[in-house]
Amino acid sequence: MIRRLVLALALIFAAAPAFAFDPAEALKDPVLETRARSIGEGLRCVVCQNQSIEESNADLARAMRVLVRERLAAGDSDSEVIGALEARYGDFIRLMPPLKATTALLWAAPALLLVGGLVAWRRAFRARAEAAGGAPLPPEEAAAQPGTTTLAIGAAIAVVASVAVYALLGHPGVADQPIRPRLAERLGVSEAAIDDMQRMAGEIETRLETHPDDARAWLMLGRADRYLGRHAEAAAALRRAIALGEAEAGVYADLGESLAIRDRRVGPEAEEAFARALAIAPDEPRAIFFLGVARAEAGDLAAAAKIWRSGAAMQPADSPWRRRLTLQADRAEAARKP
Amino acid sequence: MRRWKLWLPLLAFVVLLGGVAMRIGKTEPPLPSPLIGKPLPAFSLALLDGEGRLTPESLKGRAVLLNVFGSWCVACVEEHPMLLEAARSAEIVGIAWRDKPEDTRAWLAKRGNPYRTVGLDPDSRAALDLGITGAPETFVVGPDGVVADKITGVITPALWRSRIAPLLERLK
């Protein structure tokens, strides 16, 4: 039990927040750089709002990081740097709101709610005790009820524990990006490459807002989404690309594959996309592969084997697809035999 | 305890849920800029065309709209017809934010130029000083160089009629 708890805590602490920081921005002086980071962690990225500027990839956050470092290098104190940004963006720029007249209610709310809750609880307790006996409880039972002191101590412990846990674990600015490192690992590329691809997808989306009929852009968006593992979005974009004229076998195969991954099975939509791919190019290997899978999923291994076998024959002699399809056909036939 | 009181928590929950449902998907209205009522912070930007610099001093003496835009900005395209319309009665000065001069020039050539002058802010220097969070954002600046209002987001015709045009009239 204890060991598990320790492990859980260790894992929580190991999950360090992702920093968007580019080493080229860092100050040479390690003391100044540490100050810059701690200031940056308390400043809100105004583009993404719940990330600090140290964590955000937004251009504006980058500009703010540079500004913070320039001012520190010029000799400003920490509060001067924060004050300068606060004068321009307001309290909002600080992830931790300052205590002042306009934020007093925000700060007092937890305590007020706690006191209110305790009062309501006490009253409900008394009301129940009176309703039960019609008279105050006999002394030995009354002693068994938690008294005001016990409640107050319990409440105090709860508050202290909450504060302690928050002080240890809490960070209002943390917004981890767990998908990024995982994606990078799966694709075997750097996290920067993922960022590039996401940025590219964003740029294409911006272009599509003004040029919604750009078939090429829809195709690129679909491919970027596929690369990033966003298959539902990819399918939608590829459909648009096809409707606007990019109706090639490979695009249909991409569409079918994304639909199949989205639905976790080769459904009727995916099957139709693959059928269209084959109508254009009868040797399209992914269409052959997935249409065979569709038959196999439906329980018709004979039909699946036939599709894979004839499809394999259409592939060039040295292609990996020929081997893969042949293997599929062999397995399907082996599985058919009792 | 009366029985009906048992329903109070549920009622409170439903009210809370209703409140959340009403707000969901809506963006918070932007907070008022702390610069309102204060002089424009100092900046000095190269001009898109011509000599000289765009500074708060260069704006003094007239009521102006200071509009932050970019050729990359989709909402600016939406705002643009309104600015062209407004330019007939108001003086508009642009800050081309995070943009290449040639892109800004092409964008203005294609869509029309509502700006008397355009300053260039490629590395967000002035944007940070002005407390910009995105484009478009527009400051209404009085002849004394004091910020009278700030509009975060697109200036719609309704906003122009109800808020900006009357304010400019008063500032003149």
Short mmCIF file of all heavy atoms in Angstrom, two decimals, chain A residues 39-99:
data_model
loop_
_atom_site.label_atom_id
_atom_site.label_comp_id
_atom_site.label_asym_id
_atom_site.label_seq_id
_atom_site.Cartn_x
_atom_site.Cartn_y
_atom_site.Cartn_z
N ILE A 39 9.92 34.04 -13.24
CA ILE A 39 8.96 35.10 -13.62
C ILE A 39 8.04 34.58 -14.71
O ILE A 39 6.82 34.70 -14.64
CB ILE A 39 9.71 36.36 -14.13
CG1 ILE A 39 10.48 37.01 -12.98
CG2 ILE A 39 8.74 37.34 -14.76
CD1 ILE A 39 11.37 38.16 -13.43
N GLY A 40 8.64 33.96 -15.72
CA GLY A 40 7.87 33.47 -16.87
C GLY A 40 6.82 32.44 -16.47
O GLY A 40 5.74 32.41 -17.03
N GLU A 41 7.14 31.63 -15.46
CA GLU A 41 6.17 30.61 -15.03
C GLU A 41 4.94 31.22 -14.37
O GLU A 41 3.91 30.58 -14.27
CB GLU A 41 6.85 29.62 -14.08
CG GLU A 41 7.66 28.58 -14.83
CD GLU A 41 8.60 27.81 -13.91
OE1 GLU A 41 8.28 27.67 -12.72
OE2 GLU A 41 9.65 27.38 -14.40
N GLY A 42 5.07 32.46 -13.92
CA GLY A 42 3.93 33.13 -13.30
C GLY A 42 3.16 34.02 -14.25
O GLY A 42 2.18 34.64 -13.86
N LEU A 43 3.63 34.09 -15.51
CA LEU A 43 2.97 34.97 -16.47
C LEU A 43 2.13 34.16 -17.46
O LEU A 43 2.59 33.15 -17.99
CB LEU A 43 4.01 35.80 -17.24
CG LEU A 43 4.77 36.83 -16.41
CD1 LEU A 43 5.84 37.50 -17.26
CD2 LEU A 43 3.83 37.88 -15.84
N ARG A 44 0.93 34.63 -17.68
CA ARG A 44 0.00 33.92 -18.54
C ARG A 44 0.30 34.21 -20.01
O ARG A 44 0.55 35.34 -20.40
CB ARG A 44 -1.42 34.41 -18.25
CG ARG A 44 -2.51 33.66 -18.99
CD ARG A 44 -3.83 34.36 -18.81
NE ARG A 44 -4.18 34.57 -17.43
CZ ARG A 44 -4.79 33.66 -16.66
NH1 ARG A 44 -5.14 32.52 -17.17
NH2 ARG A 44 -5.06 33.94 -15.41
N CYS A 45 0.28 33.15 -20.80
CA CYS A 45 0.36 33.35 -22.24
C CYS A 45 -1.01 33.83 -22.68
O CYS A 45 -2.01 33.14 -22.49
CB CYS A 45 0.69 32.04 -22.95
SG CYS A 45 0.32 32.10 -24.69
N VAL A 46 -1.08 35.04 -23.22
CA VAL A 46 -2.40 35.62 -23.52
C VAL A 46 -3.06 34.95 -24.71
O VAL A 46 -4.24 35.16 -24.96
CB VAL A 46 -2.31 37.14 -23.75
CG1 VAL A 46 -2.00 37.85 -22.47
CG2 VAL A 46 -1.30 37.47 -24.82
N VAL A 47 -2.31 34.14 -25.45
CA VAL A 47 -2.91 33.43 -26.57
C VAL A 47 -3.58 32.14 -26.10
O VAL A 47 -4.71 31.83 -26.44
CB VAL A 47 -1.85 33.13 -27.66
CG1 VAL A 47 -2.48 32.39 -28.82
CG2 VAL A 47 -1.21 34.41 -28.12
N CYS A 48 -2.86 31.40 -25.22
CA CYS A 48 -3.40 30.09 -24.82
C CYS A 48 -4.00 30.12 -23.42
O CYS A 48 -4.66 29.20 -23.01
CB CYS A 48 -2.32 29.03 -24.85
SG CYS A 48 -0.76 29.62 -25.44
N GLN A 49 -3.79 31.19 -22.71
CA GLN A 49 -4.51 31.51 -21.48
C GLN A 49 -4.28 30.62 -20.27
O GLN A 49 -4.21 31.12 -19.18
CB GLN A 49 -6.00 31.63 -21.75
CG GLN A 49 -6.26 32.50 -22.95
CD GLN A 49 -7.41 33.44 -22.76
OE1 GLN A 49 -8.26 33.20 -21.93
NE2 GLN A 49 -7.42 34.51 -23.49
N ASN A 50 -4.17 29.30 -20.42
CA ASN A 50 -3.89 28.55 -19.21
C ASN A 50 -2.51 27.92 -19.23
O ASN A 50 -2.22 27.04 -18.44
CB ASN A 50 -4.99 27.52 -18.92
CG ASN A 50 -6.14 28.20 -18.22
OD1 ASN A 50 -5.94 29.11 -17.43
ND2 ASN A 50 -7.35 27.77 -18.52
N GLN A 51 -1.68 28.42 -20.12
CA GLN A 51 -0.28 28.05 -20.07
C GLN A 51 0.52 29.26 -19.64
O GLN A 51 0.11 30.39 -19.90
CB GLN A 51 0.21 27.62 -21.46
CG GLN A 51 -0.20 26.22 -21.83
CD GLN A 51 0.48 25.79 -23.11
OE1 GLN A 51 0.55 26.53 -24.07
NE2 GLN A 51 0.97 24.59 -23.13
N SER A 52 1.65 29.01 -19.00
CA SER A 52 2.53 30.13 -18.72
C SER A 52 3.34 30.41 -19.98
O SER A 52 3.35 29.60 -20.90
CB SER A 52 3.47 29.79 -17.56
OG SER A 52 4.48 28.93 -18.02
N ILE A 53 3.98 31.57 -20.02
CA ILE A 53 4.74 31.89 -21.23
C ILE A 53 5.95 30.97 -21.38
O ILE A 53 6.45 30.80 -22.48
CB ILE A 53 5.17 33.38 -21.27
CG1 ILE A 53 6.09 33.72 -20.10
CG2 ILE A 53 3.97 34.30 -21.32
CD1 ILE A 53 6.78 35.06 -20.28
N GLU A 54 6.40 30.37 -20.27
CA GLU A 54 7.52 29.43 -20.39
C GLU A 54 7.09 28.14 -21.09
O GLU A 54 7.90 27.43 -21.65
CB GLU A 54 8.08 29.08 -19.01
CG GLU A 54 8.82 30.23 -18.34
CD GLU A 54 10.11 30.61 -19.03
OE1 GLU A 54 10.87 29.72 -19.44
OE2 GLU A 54 10.38 31.82 -19.15
N GLU A 55 5.80 27.83 -21.00
CA GLU A 55 5.32 26.56 -21.54
C GLU A 55 4.75 26.70 -22.93
O GLU A 55 4.54 25.72 -23.62
CB GLU A 55 4.22 25.98 -20.64
CG GLU A 55 4.70 25.59 -19.29
CD GLU A 55 3.57 25.62 -18.27
OE1 GLU A 55 2.50 26.18 -18.56
OE2 GLU A 55 3.76 25.09 -17.19
N SER A 56 4.42 27.91 -23.32
CA SER A 56 3.65 28.08 -24.55
C SER A 56 4.55 28.18 -25.77
O SER A 56 5.64 28.74 -25.73
CB SER A 56 2.80 29.34 -24.45
OG SER A 56 2.22 29.59 -25.70
N ASN A 57 4.04 27.65 -26.87
CA ASN A 57 4.76 27.76 -28.15
C ASN A 57 4.32 28.97 -28.95
O ASN A 57 4.82 29.20 -30.04
CB ASN A 57 4.49 26.52 -29.00
CG ASN A 57 5.18 25.31 -28.44
OD1 ASN A 57 6.35 25.37 -28.11
ND2 ASN A 57 4.46 24.21 -28.30
N ALA A 58 3.35 29.71 -28.43
CA ALA A 58 2.82 30.84 -29.20
C ALA A 58 3.91 31.88 -29.44
O ALA A 58 4.77 32.10 -28.59
CB ALA A 58 1.64 31.46 -28.47
N ASP A 59 3.85 32.52 -30.60
CA ASP A 59 4.85 33.54 -30.94
C ASP A 59 4.86 34.67 -29.92
O ASP A 59 5.91 35.19 -29.57
CB ASP A 59 4.54 34.13 -32.33
CG ASP A 59 4.98 33.17 -33.42
OD1 ASP A 59 5.81 32.30 -33.13
OD2 ASP A 59 4.49 33.30 -34.55
N LEU A 60 3.66 35.03 -29.45
CA LEU A 60 3.57 36.14 -28.51
C LEU A 60 4.23 35.77 -27.18
O LEU A 60 4.87 36.61 -26.53
CB LEU A 60 2.10 36.52 -28.30
CG LEU A 60 1.84 37.93 -27.78
CD1 LEU A 60 2.50 38.97 -28.65
CD2 LEU A 60 0.34 38.18 -27.71
N ALA A 61 4.08 34.51 -26.77
CA ALA A 61 4.72 34.04 -25.54
C ALA A 61 6.24 34.09 -25.71
O ALA A 61 6.97 34.48 -24.79
CB ALA A 61 4.26 32.63 -25.20
N ARG A 62 6.69 33.71 -26.89
CA ARG A 62 8.13 33.76 -27.18
C ARG A 62 8.63 35.20 -27.05
O ARG A 62 9.65 35.46 -26.41
CB ARG A 62 8.36 33.24 -28.61
CG ARG A 62 9.78 32.91 -28.93
CD ARG A 62 9.87 32.43 -30.38
NE ARG A 62 8.94 31.34 -30.65
CZ ARG A 62 9.18 30.05 -30.41
NH1 ARG A 62 10.34 29.71 -29.90
NH2 ARG A 62 8.30 29.13 -30.68
N ALA A 63 7.87 36.12 -27.65
CA ALA A 63 8.26 37.53 -27.60
C ALA A 63 8.30 38.01 -26.14
O ALA A 63 9.18 38.77 -25.76
CB ALA A 63 7.28 38.38 -28.41
N MET A 64 7.36 37.53 -25.32
CA MET A 64 7.34 37.93 -23.91
C MET A 64 8.53 37.35 -23.17
O MET A 64 9.11 38.01 -22.31
CB MET A 64 6.05 37.45 -23.24
CG MET A 64 4.98 38.51 -23.23
SD MET A 64 3.59 37.97 -22.22
CE MET A 64 2.26 38.66 -23.17
N ARG A 65 8.90 36.11 -23.48
CA ARG A 65 10.07 35.51 -22.83
C ARG A 65 11.31 36.35 -23.13
O ARG A 65 12.13 36.61 -22.25
CB ARG A 65 10.29 34.08 -23.34
CG ARG A 65 9.30 33.08 -22.83
CD ARG A 65 9.81 31.66 -23.01
NE ARG A 65 9.94 31.24 -24.39
CZ ARG A 65 8.98 30.63 -25.08
NH1 ARG A 65 7.82 30.39 -24.52
NH2 ARG A 65 9.17 30.26 -26.33
N VAL A 66 11.43 36.76 -24.41
CA VAL A 66 12.58 37.56 -24.80
C VAL A 66 12.57 38.89 -24.05
O VAL A 66 13.59 39.34 -23.52
CB VAL A 66 12.58 37.77 -26.33
CG1 VAL A 66 13.64 38.77 -26.74
CG2 VAL A 66 12.78 36.44 -27.05
N LEU A 67 11.37 39.49 -23.95
CA LEU A 67 11.24 40.77 -23.27
C LEU A 67 11.65 40.66 -21.80
O LEU A 67 12.40 41.50 -21.28
CB LEU A 67 9.80 41.27 -23.37
CG LEU A 67 9.53 42.63 -22.71
CD1 LEU A 67 9.93 43.74 -23.66
CD2 LEU A 67 8.07 42.78 -22.32
N VAL A 68 11.15 39.60 -21.13
CA VAL A 68 11.49 39.39 -19.72
C VAL A 68 13.00 39.31 -19.57
O VAL A 68 13.60 39.95 -18.69
CB VAL A 68 10.83 38.08 -19.20
CG1 VAL A 68 11.45 37.65 -17.87
CG2 VAL A 68 9.33 38.27 -19.04
N ARG A 69 13.65 38.57 -20.45
CA ARG A 69 15.10 38.40 -20.34
C ARG A 69 15.84 39.69 -20.64
O ARG A 69 16.85 40.00 -20.00
CB ARG A 69 15.55 37.26 -21.26
CG ARG A 69 15.24 35.91 -20.62
CD ARG A 69 15.27 34.73 -21.55
NE ARG A 69 14.98 33.51 -20.79
CZ ARG A 69 13.77 33.13 -20.42
NH1 ARG A 69 12.72 33.86 -20.73
NH2 ARG A 69 13.58 32.03 -19.71
N GLU A 70 15.37 40.44 -21.60
CA GLU A 70 16.03 41.71 -21.92
C GLU A 70 15.96 42.67 -20.75
O GLU A 70 16.95 43.34 -20.42
CB GLU A 70 15.36 42.36 -23.14
CG GLU A 70 15.86 41.81 -24.44
CD GLU A 70 15.12 42.41 -25.61
OE1 GLU A 70 14.29 43.33 -25.39
OE2 GLU A 70 15.37 41.97 -26.73
N ARG A 71 14.78 42.72 -20.12
CA ARG A 71 14.63 43.66 -19.02
C ARG A 71 15.49 43.24 -17.83
O ARG A 71 16.08 44.09 -17.16
CB ARG A 71 13.16 43.78 -18.61
CG ARG A 71 12.32 44.37 -19.73
CD ARG A 71 11.00 44.85 -19.21
NE ARG A 71 11.19 46.03 -18.39
CZ ARG A 71 10.53 47.17 -18.55
NH1 ARG A 71 9.64 47.28 -19.51
NH2 ARG A 71 10.74 48.18 -17.75
N LEU A 72 15.55 41.93 -17.57
CA LEU A 72 16.40 41.45 -16.47
C LEU A 72 17.86 41.77 -16.76
O LEU A 72 18.59 42.22 -15.88
CB LEU A 72 16.22 39.94 -16.28
CG LEU A 72 14.94 39.50 -15.59
CD1 LEU A 72 14.91 37.98 -15.49
CD2 LEU A 72 14.82 40.10 -14.19
N ALA A 73 18.27 41.54 -18.01
CA ALA A 73 19.65 41.80 -18.39
C ALA A 73 19.97 43.29 -18.24
O ALA A 73 21.09 43.68 -17.95
CB ALA A 73 19.91 41.33 -19.81
N ALA A 74 18.91 44.14 -18.45
CA ALA A 74 19.11 45.58 -18.34
C ALA A 74 19.10 46.04 -16.89
O ALA A 74 19.25 47.22 -16.61
CB ALA A 74 18.04 46.31 -19.13
N GLY A 75 18.87 45.08 -15.96
CA GLY A 75 18.99 45.44 -14.55
C GLY A 75 17.68 45.64 -13.82
O GLY A 75 17.68 46.09 -12.68
N ASP A 76 16.54 45.33 -14.46
CA ASP A 76 15.26 45.46 -13.78
C ASP A 76 15.12 44.43 -12.67
O ASP A 76 15.69 43.34 -12.76
CB ASP A 76 14.10 45.25 -14.77
CG ASP A 76 13.78 46.53 -15.52
OD1 ASP A 76 14.57 47.48 -15.41
OD2 ASP A 76 12.74 46.55 -16.20
N SER A 77 14.36 44.78 -11.62
CA SER A 77 14.05 43.78 -10.59
C SER A 77 12.89 42.92 -11.08
O SER A 77 12.20 43.28 -12.03
CB SER A 77 13.67 44.48 -9.29
OG SER A 77 12.37 45.02 -9.42
N ASP A 78 12.68 41.78 -10.39
CA ASP A 78 11.59 40.89 -10.78
C ASP A 78 10.25 41.61 -10.80
O ASP A 78 9.46 41.48 -11.73
CB ASP A 78 11.50 39.70 -9.80
CG ASP A 78 12.70 38.78 -9.92
OD1 ASP A 78 13.67 39.18 -10.60
OD2 ASP A 78 12.67 37.69 -9.35
N SER A 79 10.00 42.40 -9.74
CA SER A 79 8.69 43.04 -9.67
C SER A 79 8.55 44.14 -10.72
O SER A 79 7.45 44.41 -11.20
CB SER A 79 8.43 43.58 -8.26
OG SER A 79 9.49 44.43 -7.88
N GLU A 80 9.66 44.76 -11.11
CA GLU A 80 9.58 45.75 -12.18
C GLU A 80 9.19 45.10 -13.50
O GLU A 80 8.40 45.64 -14.27
CB GLU A 80 10.93 46.48 -12.34
CG GLU A 80 11.11 47.63 -11.37
CD GLU A 80 12.53 48.17 -11.36
OE1 GLU A 80 13.47 47.46 -11.77
OE2 GLU A 80 12.70 49.31 -10.91
N VAL A 81 9.77 43.92 -13.76
CA VAL A 81 9.46 43.22 -15.01
C VAL A 81 7.98 42.83 -15.03
O VAL A 81 7.26 43.08 -16.01
CB VAL A 81 10.34 41.95 -15.15
CG1 VAL A 81 9.93 41.16 -16.37
CG2 VAL A 81 11.80 42.34 -15.23
N ILE A 82 7.51 42.22 -13.92
CA ILE A 82 6.11 41.80 -13.87
C ILE A 82 5.20 43.02 -13.93
O ILE A 82 4.20 43.03 -14.66
CB ILE A 82 5.85 40.98 -12.58
CG1 ILE A 82 6.67 39.70 -12.63
CG2 ILE A 82 4.37 40.65 -12.43
CD1 ILE A 82 6.69 38.91 -11.34
N GLY A 83 5.59 44.08 -13.20
CA GLY A 83 4.79 45.30 -13.18
C GLY A 83 4.64 45.91 -14.57
O GLY A 83 3.57 46.40 -14.94
N ALA A 84 5.73 45.87 -15.35
CA ALA A 84 5.68 46.46 -16.69
C ALA A 84 4.64 45.74 -17.55
O ALA A 84 3.84 46.38 -18.24
CB ALA A 84 7.05 46.38 -17.35
N LEU A 85 4.62 44.42 -17.47
CA LEU A 85 3.65 43.67 -18.28
C LEU A 85 2.24 43.84 -17.72
O LEU A 85 1.26 43.89 -18.46
CB LEU A 85 4.04 42.20 -18.33
CG LEU A 85 5.12 41.93 -19.38
CD1 LEU A 85 5.80 40.61 -19.12
CD2 LEU A 85 4.53 41.95 -20.78
N GLU A 86 2.15 43.95 -16.39
CA GLU A 86 0.83 44.12 -15.77
C GLU A 86 0.21 45.46 -16.17
O GLU A 86 -1.00 45.55 -16.34
CB GLU A 86 1.01 44.04 -14.25
CG GLU A 86 -0.16 43.41 -13.56
CD GLU A 86 0.08 43.24 -12.08
OE1 GLU A 86 1.25 43.35 -11.65
OE2 GLU A 86 -0.91 43.03 -11.37
N ALA A 87 1.08 46.47 -16.34
CA ALA A 87 0.56 47.79 -16.72
C ALA A 87 -0.05 47.75 -18.12
O ALA A 87 -0.90 48.57 -18.46
CB ALA A 87 1.69 48.81 -16.68
N ARG A 88 0.39 46.80 -18.93
CA ARG A 88 -0.11 46.74 -20.31
C ARG A 88 -1.24 45.75 -20.47
O ARG A 88 -2.16 45.96 -21.25
CB ARG A 88 1.04 46.37 -21.23
CG ARG A 88 1.99 47.52 -21.40
CD ARG A 88 3.36 47.05 -21.81
NE ARG A 88 4.23 48.19 -22.08
CZ ARG A 88 4.83 48.89 -21.15
NH1 ARG A 88 4.64 48.59 -19.87
NH2 ARG A 88 5.60 49.91 -21.47
N TYR A 89 -1.18 44.62 -19.75
CA TYR A 89 -2.18 43.57 -19.93
C TYR A 89 -3.15 43.46 -18.76
O TYR A 89 -4.12 42.74 -18.84
CB TYR A 89 -1.49 42.22 -20.14
CG TYR A 89 -0.88 42.07 -21.52
CD1 TYR A 89 0.44 42.36 -21.75
CD2 TYR A 89 -1.67 41.65 -22.60
CE1 TYR A 89 1.00 42.24 -23.01
CE2 TYR A 89 -1.13 41.53 -23.86
CZ TYR A 89 0.22 41.82 -24.06
OH TYR A 89 0.75 41.69 -25.30
N GLY A 90 -2.85 44.14 -17.66
CA GLY A 90 -3.74 44.02 -16.50
C GLY A 90 -3.38 42.81 -15.64
O GLY A 90 -2.46 42.06 -15.95
N ASP A 91 -4.16 42.62 -14.55
CA ASP A 91 -3.92 41.49 -13.63
C ASP A 91 -3.93 40.16 -14.36
O ASP A 91 -3.32 39.19 -13.92
CB ASP A 91 -5.04 41.42 -12.57
CG ASP A 91 -4.98 42.60 -11.63
OD1 ASP A 91 -3.94 43.28 -11.64
OD2 ASP A 91 -5.97 42.82 -10.93
N PHE A 92 -4.70 40.15 -15.45
CA PHE A 92 -4.92 38.94 -16.22
C PHE A 92 -3.60 38.26 -16.61
O PHE A 92 -3.54 37.03 -16.74
CB PHE A 92 -5.71 39.34 -17.47
CG PHE A 92 -5.99 38.23 -18.41
CD1 PHE A 92 -6.83 37.20 -18.03
CD2 PHE A 92 -5.43 38.21 -19.67
CE1 PHE A 92 -7.11 36.18 -18.91
CE2 PHE A 92 -5.70 37.19 -20.54
CZ PHE A 92 -6.53 36.17 -20.16
N ILE A 93 -2.54 39.06 -16.78
CA ILE A 93 -1.27 38.50 -17.23
C ILE A 93 -0.66 37.60 -16.16
O ILE A 93 0.15 36.74 -16.46
CB ILE A 93 -0.29 39.65 -17.60
CG1 ILE A 93 0.91 39.13 -18.40
CG2 ILE A 93 0.21 40.38 -16.36
CD1 ILE A 93 0.59 38.79 -19.81
N ARG A 94 -1.08 37.79 -14.89
CA ARG A 94 -0.53 36.96 -13.83
C ARG A 94 -1.38 35.72 -13.64
O ARG A 94 -2.60 35.81 -13.51
CB ARG A 94 -0.45 37.75 -12.53
CG ARG A 94 0.57 38.87 -12.64
CD ARG A 94 0.47 39.84 -11.52
NE ARG A 94 0.52 39.22 -10.21
CZ ARG A 94 1.04 39.82 -9.16
NH1 ARG A 94 1.59 40.99 -9.27
NH2 ARG A 94 1.02 39.24 -7.99
N LEU A 95 -0.73 34.57 -13.60
CA LEU A 95 -1.50 33.34 -13.42
C LEU A 95 -2.07 33.28 -12.01
O LEU A 95 -3.12 32.71 -11.78
CB LEU A 95 -0.60 32.12 -13.68
CG LEU A 95 -0.41 31.82 -15.17
CD1 LEU A 95 0.73 30.84 -15.36
CD2 LEU A 95 -1.67 31.28 -15.78
N MET A 96 -1.36 33.87 -11.04
CA MET A 96 -1.86 33.94 -9.67
C MET A 96 -2.42 35.33 -9.46
O MET A 96 -1.68 36.30 -9.47
CB MET A 96 -0.68 33.68 -8.72
CG MET A 96 -1.03 33.84 -7.27
SD MET A 96 -1.76 32.38 -6.60
CE MET A 96 -0.30 31.50 -6.08
N PRO A 97 -3.75 35.46 -9.32
CA PRO A 97 -4.31 36.80 -9.22
C PRO A 97 -3.85 37.50 -7.95
O PRO A 97 -3.82 36.88 -6.88
CB PRO A 97 -5.82 36.57 -9.21
CG PRO A 97 -6.00 35.16 -8.81
CD PRO A 97 -4.78 34.42 -9.24
N PRO A 98 -3.47 38.77 -8.01
CA PRO A 98 -3.05 39.49 -6.81
C PRO A 98 -4.25 39.76 -5.91
O PRO A 98 -5.37 39.86 -6.38
CB PRO A 98 -2.49 40.79 -7.36
CG PRO A 98 -3.19 40.98 -8.66
CD PRO A 98 -3.49 39.63 -9.20
N LEU A 99 -4.00 39.86 -4.59
CA LEU A 99 -5.07 40.14 -3.64
C LEU A 99 -5.31 41.65 -3.61
O LEU A 99 -4.45 42.42 -3.18
CB LEU A 99 -4.66 39.62 -2.26
CG LEU A 99 -5.66 39.87 -1.12
CD1 LEU A 99 -7.02 39.28 -1.46
CD2 LEU A 99 -5.15 39.27 0.17
#
